[in-house]
């Protein structure tokens, strides 16, 4: 393996397999002081491998350096801002991690008897109550493991509710700006999806909505603020239109961090909604780690909630399974408990005032970025921004530079890219959500980078089109990588066969 030293060594790190040299070891064992056992005899010959093909043979320090160098390729919230929109990659206070690791909570077992789980059950009860208060809803289940899972639970509740009235109905209405999980959810629960168009301000067109709601409509799934970062200001009228025909209103609460402490879905006509605790209430987000998608409902949907439900009996918490109208369980045990602990710690540390301030700061930060970038990038909708702002690449596209190119160039400035090409209804979308945690100094750095890139697009578009320049690999063929992933390493051809 020849390593070129023309680049920073951490950026030049090969695969571990490529570091291998025959006979090298990363460990040393003492001589056996007991008789040797034949592994084939002990384990059965079929369980013993002669050798592992191409197993890397490396020293300890090579292993340590290899993985340490790889770790520097990673981008994390501890390194810098995640401007991704629609999914709130916020910084999560470290103290919540400490709380989640409290011994009694960490080692609690879901099969522990109720009498020994009263503390954990109290945490669940308090979090349910806090989320009910924040959303203005009557009851909450913490079972669903993520937002999409919460959506499915919520739409199942709507189906159970309609079934209890004799007819599950046929359709779920979904605005064209919705997250892809919404139509997927409605379809999985057995509904047909009917799309509704957004108007030129990025909001649901109320007149066209009114013209299609009939008694076949089971409900509307609406995200508020929606995925273009705009508050559906006619939401009360929209809910009224649905309710008049006996339909339900589901709110995708992934953007709840624009509303917490300011307004409550329960007060503007929502019947059922989910929250993403890993977006709004402090759990490390991304990388496929655990999340939680609690579902909050109005009282008419409460009988259908998943079992078990918490019930208080003589000052003790009990699990109640005796609920004849329940949709059943949606998950083993009681939810991702560690995530629930973090969320409650976050909520209690902030208190009502603090949560409201976090929301106001998130809105301020998004609008600060919007104002500073508006002279350089085209804002998608002339409507007030909430916690995120959506630009399009219209101006840069005239120079042949698209949203994906600008995002790649941001990497050279040390920032994680913003959300590229979502929502789909905005051509060349550039979606930015700073969250409340970023300081003005950090926001200024980010804005400076984007302004600098806008100037590069005018003066030297090639620089942007070929970005990133500072990473080990620049552009990859993303389509082929997704369609034909190569997941197994194969040794490179022998030097004599190789072209260079
Ligand atoms: C993130 C998100 C979802 C899905 O939530 P998961 O927790 O990722 O399953 C649904 N809708 C919107 C608007 C989102 O941003």
């Amino acid at each position: 393996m020849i390593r070129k030293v023309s680049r920073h060594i951490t950026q030049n790190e090969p695969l571990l397999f490529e570091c291998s040299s025959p006979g090298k070891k990363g460990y040393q064992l003492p001589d056996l002081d007991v008789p040797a056992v034949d592994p084939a005899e002990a384990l059965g010959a079929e369980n013993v491998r002669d050798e592992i093909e191409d197993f890397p043979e490396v020293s300890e320090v090579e292993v340590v350096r290899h993985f340490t160098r790889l770790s520097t390729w990673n981008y994390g919230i501890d390194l810098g801002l995640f401007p991704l929109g629609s999914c709130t990659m916020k910084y999560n206070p470290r103290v919540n991690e400490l709380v989640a690791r409290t011994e009694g909570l960490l080692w609690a077992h879901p099969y522990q008897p109720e009498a020994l789980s009263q503390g954990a059950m109290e945490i669940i009860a308090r979090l349910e109550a806090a989320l009910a208060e924040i959303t203005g809803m009557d009851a909450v289940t913490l079972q669903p493991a993520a937002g999409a899972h919460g959506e499915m639970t919520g739409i199942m509740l709507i189906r159970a509710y309609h079934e209890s009235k004799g007819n599950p109905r046929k359709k779920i209405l979904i605005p064209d700006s919705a997250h892809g999980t919404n139509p997927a959810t409605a379809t999985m629960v057995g509904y047909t999806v009917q799309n509704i168009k957004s108007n030129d301000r990025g909001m649901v067109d109320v007149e066209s909505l009114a013209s299609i709601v009939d008694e076949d409509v089971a409900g509307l799934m609406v995200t508020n603020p929606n995925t273009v970062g705009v508050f559906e200001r006619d939401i009360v009228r929209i809910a009224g239109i649905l309710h008049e025909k006996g339909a339900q209103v589901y709110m995708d609460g992934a953007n709840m961090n624009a509303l917490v402490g300011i307004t409550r879905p329960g007060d503007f006509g929502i019947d059922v909604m989910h929250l993403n605790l890993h977006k709004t209430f402090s759990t490390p987000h991304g990388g496929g780690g655990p999340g939680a998608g609690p579902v909050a409902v109005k009282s008419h949907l409460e009988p259908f909630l998943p079992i078990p439900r918490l019930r208080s009996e003589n000052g003790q918490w009990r699990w109640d399974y005796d609920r004849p109208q329940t949709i059943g369980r949606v998950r083993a045990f009681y939810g991702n408990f560690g995530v629930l602990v973090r969320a409650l710690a976050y909520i209690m540390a902030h208190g009502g005032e603090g949560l409201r301030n976090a929301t106001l700061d998130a809105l301020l930060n998004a609008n600060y970025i919007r104002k500073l970038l508006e002279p350089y990038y085209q804002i998608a909708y002339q409507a007030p921004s909430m916690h995120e702002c959506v630009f399009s690449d219209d101006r840069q596209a005239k120079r042949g530079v698209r949203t994906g190119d600008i995002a790649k160039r941001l990497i050279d400035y040390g920032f994680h890219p913003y959300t590229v090409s979502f929502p789909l209804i905005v051509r060349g979308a550039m979606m930015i959500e700073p969250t409340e945690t970023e300081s003005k100094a950090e926001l200024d750095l980010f804005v400076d980078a984007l302004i600098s890139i806008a100037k590069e697009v005018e003066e030297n578009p090639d620089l942007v089109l070929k970005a990133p320049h500072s990473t080990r690999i620049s552009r990859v063929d993303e389509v082929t990588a997704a369609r034909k992933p190569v997941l197994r390493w194969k040794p490179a051809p022998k030097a004599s066969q190789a072209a260079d």
Side-chain angles (χ1 to χ4, degrees):
M1 167 69 209
I2 303 159
R3 292 197 220 180
K4 298 195 185 89
V5 287
S6 57
R7 314 211 27 210
H8 195 295
I9 50 163
T10 61
Q11 289 293 331
N12 213 23
E13 185 66 11
L15 296 175
L16 192 59
F17 303 98
E18 296 171 307
C19 304
S20 182
S21 74
K24 254 196 196 176
K25 283 204 171 102
Y27 63 90
Q28 240 177 345
L29 297 178
D31 289 339
L32 270 186
D33 57 1
V34 291
V37 174
D38 177 7
E41 224 164 79
L43 301 171
E46 71 281 12
N47 295 319
V48 178
R49 266 198 283 207
D50 297 339
E51 76 174 301
I52 302 173
E53 202 189 343
D54 299 318
F55 192 77
E57 295 176 82
V58 284
S59 71
E60 179 178 300
V61 68
E62 283 172 329
V63 175
V64 171
R65 284 200 184 141
H66 175 74
F67 287 105
T68 305
R69 285 172 183 171
L70 293 192
S71 76
T72 66
W73 299 2
N74 208 1
Y75 191 95
I77 197 82
D78 294 342
L79 188 65
L81 162 80
F82 263 90
L84 289 172
S86 189
C87 280
T88 316
M89 294 280 218
K90 71 158 84 194
Y91 177 79
N92 300 294
R94 285 294 197 280
V95 66
N96 299 339
E97 300 303 309
L98 200 71
V99 175
R101 283 168 178 72
T102 306
E103 205 175 350
L105 302 177
L106 187 64
W107 295 108
H109 194 282
Y111 280 140
Q112 224 164 267
E114 287 171 359
L116 300 178
S117 306
Q118 291 295 306
M121 292 163 93
E122 174 78 24
I123 286 173
I124 290 175
R126 285 199 194 185
L127 182 59
E128 284 185 1
L131 297 178
E133 170 70 27
I134 288 167
T135 55
M137 308 295 275
D138 299 320
V140 174
T141 173
L142 303 177
Q143 249 184 60
H149 194 194
E151 287 175 32
M152 187 163 150
T153 305
I155 300 299
M156 284 169 75
L157 295 173
I158 289 180
R159 191 174 183 100
Y161 168 78
H162 287 306
E163 267 168 1
S164 77
K165 296 193 169 309
N167 175 9
R169 301 190 172 199
K170 297 196 176 73
K171 285 188 289 192
I172 295 280
L173 307 180
I174 302 181
D176 54 7
S177 60
H179 194 270
T181 49
N182 291 189
T185 294
T187 307
M188 280 184 76
V189 183
Y191 285 114
T192 326
V193 172
Q194 185 169 348
N195 243 301
I196 37 180
K197 284 233 169 311
S198 301
N199 63 22
D200 59 3
R201 306 197 60 185
M203 296 180 223
V204 170
D205 188 332
V206 181
E207 302 317 319
S208 79
L209 175 76
S211 70
I212 54 176
V213 178
D214 57 24
E215 255 115 60
D216 276 343
V217 172
L220 166 76
M221 284 183 97
V222 64
T223 309
N224 200 16
N226 61 28
T227 56
V228 294
V230 174
F231 188 79
E232 296 284 356
R233 62 163 73 173
D234 290 322
I235 189 67
V236 174
R237 254 180 80 204
I238 291 172
I241 291 169
L242 273 294
H243 288 154
E244 215 168 274
K245 302 281 187 205
Q248 297 286 289
V249 185
Y250 182 94
M251 186 176 116
D252 179 328
N255 292 338
M256 190 66 194
N257 51 314
L259 306 185
V260 173
I262 296 179
T263 183
R264 307 194 310 167
D267 299 337
F268 58 64
I270 303 302
D271 299 293
V272 45
M273 65 177 291
H274 79 261
L275 295 159
N276 306 60
L277 297 189
H278 46 289
K279 292 180 180 176
T280 309
F281 295 103
S282 182
T283 266
H285 176 164
V295 170
V297 296
K298 283 294 180 60
S299 57
H300 62 282
L301 295 175
E302 197 265 348
F304 308 99
L305 284 174
I307 46 168
R309 298 285 302 151
L310 272 181
R311 179 163 52 87
S312 167
E313 202 180 277
N314 306 325
Q316 293 274 302
W317 290 112
R318 295 256 175 275
W319 288 119
D320 184 3
Y321 290 84
D322 183 20
R323 297 173 51 88
Q325 288 189 289
T326 180
I327 58 167
R329 270 185 179 281
V330 296
R331 192 187 182 285
F333 306 122
Y334 316 104
N336 281 330
F337 185 63
V339 174
L340 309 181
V341 174
R342 287 176 179 85
L344 185 61
Y346 177 83
I347 289 170
M348 291 181 73
H350 276 72
E353 246 344 275
L355 289 174
R356 181 183 160 83
N357 276 339
T359 307
L360 293 174
D361 285 348
L363 304 190
L364 179 64
N365 282 356
N367 283 283
Y368 181 70
I369 287 182
R370 172 179 170 154
K371 275 293 158 229
L372 292 181
L373 288 181
E374 254 180 310
Y376 302 90
Y377 296 93
Q378 185 63 46
I379 195 82
Y381 293 102
Q382 287 306 327
S385 288
M386 297 287 286
H387 63 306
E388 58 194 0
C389 45
V390 183
F391 295 92
S392 79
D393 63 11
D394 277 3
R395 292 183 207 170
Q396 289 70 31
K398 295 197 180 80
R399 310 277 298 170
V401 175
R402 305 304 313 266
T403 175
D405 304 314
I406 300 165
K408 297 281 189 213
R409 184 65 179 142
L410 258 182
I411 297 172
D412 285 334
Y413 285 82
F415 287 102
H416 192 283
Y418 48 76
T419 295
V420 173
S421 305
F422 180 84
L424 301 174
I425 54 169
V426 176
R427 203 174 56 109
M430 308 168 54
M431 180 188 232
I432 299 170
E433 177 181 0
T435 79
E436 76 283 0
T437 30
E438 300 306 327
S439 66
K440 179 174 175 300
E442 191 77 14
L443 295 180
D444 285 339
L445 285 174
F446 176 70
V447 165
D448 280 354
L450 274 171
I451 291 175
S452 172
I453 295 170
K455 288 179 182 155
E456 287 169 356
V457 171
E458 295 307 317
E459 289 156 13
N460 185 6
D462 228 33
L463 185 66
V464 182
L465 287 168
K466 296 210 170 91
H469 303 276
S470 61
T471 52
R472 176 180 152 84
I473 290 171
S474 184
R475 295 284 173 117
V476 294
D477 179 348
E478 288 160 4
V479 176
T480 307
R483 295 281 157 83
K484 295 183 188 160
V486 180
L487 302 176
R488 182 171 272 277
W489 178 78
K490 286 210 192 70
K494 294 272 178 298
S496 58
Q497 304 163 327
D500 83 354

